[in-house]
């Protein structure tokens, strides 16, 4: 049996973790507010209606991973640029792109994909700073702490 009937799995209902509850509420709102994060269609990397691929995997330097990268144990920071699935349920709809950075290694500077004029990346979530308010990212790179996840969304001026 894998259940933990001890302090590991018990909840202290008398002293709830309000910070954790607030963080989970932010995650729920993030998914609710961004259609790209709740798609039913599988992403294949095919171009959608805007000509951009529905998913592009990237290294922290912005380049797409090579076959060797996928097999390299030192490849510890993986990024995903997500758009609506090509040919999916929401085809033809508009939804901002989402850029997720998953860093299982040491702190890095991650390149952000270029966006069209009048668009910018907005940092929505940084697990190293769970209570940080969303903020505009005007630089081409962003700091990513060790062992964290960042989620950014495309926004208009």
């Amino acid at each position: 049996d894998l259940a933990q009937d001890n302090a590991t799995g018990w909840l202290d209902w008398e002293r709830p973790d309000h910070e954790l509850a607030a963080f989970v509420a932010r995650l729920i709102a993030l998914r609710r507010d961004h259609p790209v994060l709740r798609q039913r269609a599988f992403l294949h990397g095919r171009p959608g209606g805007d000509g951009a691929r529905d998913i592009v995997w990237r290294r922290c330097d912005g380049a797409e991973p090579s076959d060797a990268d996928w097999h390299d144990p030192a490849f510890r920071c993986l990024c995903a640029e997500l758009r609506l699935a090509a040919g999916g349920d929401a085809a033809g709809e508009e939804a901002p792109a989402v850029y997720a950075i998953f860093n299982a290694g040491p702190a890095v500077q991650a390149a952000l994909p270029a966006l069209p004029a009048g668009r910018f990346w907005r940092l929505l979530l940084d697990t190293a700073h769970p209570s940080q308010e969303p903020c505009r990212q005007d630089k081409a790179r962003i700091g990513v702490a060790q062992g964290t996840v960042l989620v950014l969304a495309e926004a208009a001026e």
Side-chain angles (χ1 to χ4, degrees), residues 22-39 82 95-102 122-127 130 132-135 149-154:
F23 181 71
V24 171
R26 287 187 66 197
L27 293 175
I28 292 167
L30 179 70
R31 186 171 186 271
R32 178 198 64 222
D33 295 343
H34 295 280
V36 170
L37 298 176
R38 48 186 165 78
Q39 300 182 68
L82 305 161
V98 168
Y99 196 63
I101 304 170
F102 307 93
R122 183 171 183 77
L123 178 63
L124 302 177
L125 181 75
D126 180 348
T127 60
Q132 178 179 330
E133 292 296 317
C135 58
V149 175
L150 271 61
V151 178
L152 301 100
E154 180 182 4

Side-chain angles (χ1 to χ4, degrees), residues 27-93:
L27 293 175
I28 292 167
L30 179 70
R31 186 171 186 271
R32 178 198 64 222
D33 295 343
H34 295 280
V36 170
L37 298 176
R38 48 186 165 78
Q39 300 182 68
R40 293 182 184 183
F42 191 79
L43 305 177
H44 293 280
R46 293 187 300 236
D50 62 359
R53 290 185 287 166
D54 53 17
I55 186 167
V56 179
W57 295 103
R58 298 187 187 278
R59 301 183 317 209
C60 68
D61 65 2
E64 292 186 45
S66 67
D67 287 340
D69 289 325
W70 291 110
H71 298 284
D72 181 357
F75 181 39
R76 307 291 294 175
C77 184
L78 180 64
C79 309
E81 185 177 350
L82 305 161
R83 299 184 187 293
L84 291 178
D89 293 343
E93 290 184 30

Side-chain angles (χ1 to χ4, degrees), residues 108-121:
V108 295
Q109 288 289 314
L112 296 175
L115 290 171
R119 310 292 289 173
F120 63 92
W121 289 110

